Amino acid sequence: MDTAVLIAAAGTGSRAGAGSRPKQYADIGGEAVLARALRPFLECPHVTAVQVIINQEHDTLYREAVARFENRLLPPVAGGGNRQDSVRRGLEALAPLGPRHVLIHDAARPFVTSGVIGRVLAALERCQGVVPVEPLADTLKQVDPGGRILATAGRTGLFRAQTPQGFHFPLILALHQRAANEGRFDFTDDAALLEWAGQEVVTVPGSPLNTKITTAEDLAAARQQAERAAVLEPRTGTGFDVHRFAPTGTAPEKRPEARGPSGTATVFLCGVPIPHVSPLEGHSDADAGLHALTDALLGALGDGDIGEHFPPNDPRWKGAASSIFLAEAARRVAARGGRIVHTDVTLICEAPKIAPYRAAMRAAIASVLGLSESRVSVKATTTETLGFTGRREGIAALASATVLLPGGD
Ligand code: MG
């Protein structure tokens, strides 16, 4: 097992003034704070188990809050007398599963982003403890009991610690058990145990969105943030790709087969096999149309590019159907709570002729993306025999994608 997630939700959470409900069960945007806090972890492909530490008296509230995904959660663990004790109990409950890493997250942080989770996980590959942090914006004052300022504290080098904090599982479990055995229950976060033991903890950038709900004002602000996130806003991404015909770099007059009467090979464009005089070269099936469209979707998400998600030197993608890449981009849109509303691809080549295959291409893309064909466009043009496409050395493809994404960031 790779990465387990522990959500600390055992607090009484009464300061946020959510009526009779503890703050982790307060409703924000039609969902409990706890449900929002754990959803991004369930959507993370590296997370193999999620467990919530609850207050035994909150059992009914817990079941109500996580009803939608209770079957994807480990059974809840009853917390202890304070946060540190509760986390230790949670870690001990996870121990039989033998996770390599654990992310420990506060249920009162419902706006944790996939970016923060990804940065913590990436840093865990090279160190034992990771904390996401945000810089301090305010000047810090030391104040006497009468409310008068004693001094201005420098804020250089000071950061606010967020969660999830990530750890190598055996280390954080051992430290929690050692602290309990020694009667130390004064650690306010989990990274503090590594600091106590003289172990290195590294920081990664957190997110200004990843705030903690403590007071009634925090809860009101969280509700506003959830409202903003419920409004979908359009994002547009573009993509461009080129694949060359085999054999490489040969001008058409030196490549007799380019003028051959019938196709002897197959090229794949927008998911459709087309007989042609020579195949396109590439690590995968060299479908420039789907590659450009995959990049357009990733661009709309601001989520890297196709080469980052599917490295061309990875043997898994050798000869792969490019619909795999497109499907993954669509999955990433869905994971962000988004919706694809329109895609447009332009293929640039002298040959093969695209028109006879255009309907099949639209159908293929619509099928992979789960869209109506009216939302999928495929066009073709030539470059009037100019340039590499004009010399029939390769095919270029342009794409754009329009995606509706939750706002609020
Ligand atoms: Mg490509």
Side-chain angles (χ1 to χ4, degrees):
M1 178 195 248
D2 195 22
T3 301
V5 174
L6 212 46
I7 311 276
T12 51
S14 47
R15 265 191 299 165
S20 56
R21 278 173 186 252
K23 65 182 175 186
Q24 62 272 41
Y25 299 107
D27 181 287
I28 52 170
E31 203 174 17
V33 170
L34 169 64
R36 265 181 188 268
L38 62 81
R39 190 153 36 86
F41 295 98
L42 290 175
E43 286 164 1
C44 174
H46 302 288
V47 167
T48 40
V50 179
Q51 181 156 54
V52 184
I53 312 160
I54 66 168
N55 186 314
Q56 257 175 326
E57 290 171 14
H58 299 162
D59 194 62
T60 310
L61 287 170
Y62 169 77
R63 293 196 189 284
E64 202 180 284
V66 303
R68 266 197 306 141
F69 25 65
E70 198 175 354
N71 59 351
R72 296 167 63 198
L73 302 171
L74 294 173
V77 177
N82 55 51
R83 186 189 180 280
Q84 187 188 325
D85 196 31
S86 294
V87 170
R88 180 182 52 79
R89 289 170 189 232
L91 292 169
E92 285 172 349
L94 285 174
L97 301 175
R100 195 158 72 97
H101 298 146
V102 63
L103 303 181
I104 305 174
H105 184 60
D106 287 330
R109 293 186 190 272
F111 299 113
V112 61
T113 62
S114 56
V116 174
I117 296 170
R119 288 193 285 277
V120 172
L121 284 175
L124 267 185
E125 292 301 325
R126 48 174 208 280
C127 45
Q128 305 245 25
V130 183
V131 175
V133 295
E134 272 292 293
L136 282 171
D138 301 325
T139 297
L140 299 178
K141 299 292 185 188
Q142 194 184 357
V143 179
D144 73 11
R148 275 179 291 271
I149 288 173
L150 294 172
T152 296
R155 65 173 184 228
T156 315
L158 289 182
F159 289 83
R160 292 181 294 148
Q162 299 187 335
T163 68
Q165 299 185 352
F167 306 96
H168 284 211
F169 184 82
L171 175 68
I172 193 69
L173 173 63
L175 290 175
H176 265 281
Q177 288 175 329
R178 188 174 127 200
N181 287 339
E182 294 184 18
R184 289 283 306 267
F185 287 102
D186 54 335
F187 297 104
T188 53
D189 74 351
D190 303 291
L193 284 120
L194 272 73
E195 298 160 38
W196 171 58
Q199 298 275 349
E200 186 184 66
V201 184
V202 302
T203 62
V204 294
S207 162
L209 295 179
N210 187 20
T211 53
K212 186 172 181 176
I213 299 174
T214 306
T215 64
E217 288 76 15
D218 297 339
L219 187 58
R223 284 182 171 139
Q224 277 176 6
Q225 195 172 329
E227 251 168 55
R228 284 196 298 274
V231 177
L232 295 176
E233 57 186 40
R235 311 276 179 100
T236 303
T238 65
F240 176 68
D241 195 37
V242 170
H243 281 270
R244 72 166 79 209
F245 285 116
T248 58
T250 316
E253 62 274 19
K254 294 178 190 160
R255 212 177 59 200
E257 76 279 11
R259 294 188 299 271
S262 64
T264 56
T266 304
V267 297
F268 292 90
L269 288 171
C270 293
V272 175
I274 302 174
H276 191 52
V277 287
S278 52
L280 288 167
E281 286 188 334
H283 185 64
S284 62
D285 66 4
D287 189 330
L290 292 192
H291 294 182
L293 185 52
T294 301
D295 259 354
L297 286 168
L298 294 172
L301 295 176
D303 187 9
D305 60 26
I306 191 170
E308 187 186 325
H309 295 292
F310 303 98
N313 52 8
D314 187 330
R316 272 184 302 167
W317 315 125
K318 188 161 173 52
S322 296
S323 56
I324 295 173
F325 311 147
L326 188 63
E328 169 62 12
R331 192 198 63 77
R332 285 174 177 269
V333 172
R336 291 265 294 272
R339 185 152 59 86
I340 302 165
V341 291
H342 179 254
T343 66
D344 187 16
V345 177
T346 302
L347 298 168
I348 306 167
C349 57
E350 303 290 331
K353 286 277 169 254
I354 300 303
Y357 302 98
R358 192 149 67 167
M361 290 175 174
R362 288 178 74 192
I365 292 170
S367 157
V368 173
L369 298 180
L371 292 178
S372 145
E373 284 176 39
S374 64
R375 295 174 181 272
V376 175
S377 162
V378 174
K379 313 193 299 299
T381 188
T382 72
T383 48
E384 300 282 339
T385 74
L386 297 171
F388 70 87
T389 56
R391 292 189 299 271
R392 301 172 184 239
E393 291 166 8
I395 287 183
L398 290 164
S400 72
T402 307
V403 169
L404 293 180
L405 278 188
D409 56 350

